[in-house]
Amino acid sequence: MERRDDDGPDDPGAVAWTQADHIPDDARRMGLSRSVPDGAMLELAGALDSRKRSHRVVAWVLLFAFAVPVLLSLLSLLR
């Protein structure tokens, strides 16, 4: 994979192979990190880039995966 100049970290002292932390500060204060399931989902969602088509597809799939069970539960309650 070709590395471009804009792919590097903003901090010149940062190690290039470490991943950026995309978890919001309030979630981090609650103890979430990428090593727990909820924190891992936040990390994934925070790392998505809307300029990339594949990331938009992943976002729609995640939205569908979370919305369908809620809608099915609502339908079963209304019957």
Side-chain angles (χ1 to χ4, degrees):
M1 182 156 119
E2 180 179 281
R3 183 175 172 87
R4 298 183 315 211
D5 290 336
D6 60 347
D7 287 342
D10 293 333
D11 181 17
V15 179
W17 50 266
T18 59
Q19 295 179 357
D21 197 13
H22 299 287
I23 297 177
D25 291 334
D26 56 342
R28 198 173 303 117
R29 282 192 299 269
M30 291 188 310
L32 294 177
S33 68
R34 69 175 75 152
S35 61
V36 295
D38 292 335
M41 286 299 294
L42 280 174
E43 176 78 23
L44 173 68
L48 294 175
D49 184 2
S50 63
R51 295 173 291 177
K52 297 180 180 179
R53 180 183 297 245
S54 62
H55 289 210
R56 287 194 306 264
V57 169
V58 168
W60 278 106
V61 168
L62 286 173
L63 180 63
F64 185 75
F66 285 106
V68 167
V70 172
L71 292 175
L72 291 176
S73 297
L74 285 174
L75 286 175
S76 68
L77 287 174
L78 295 175
R79 287 186 178 194

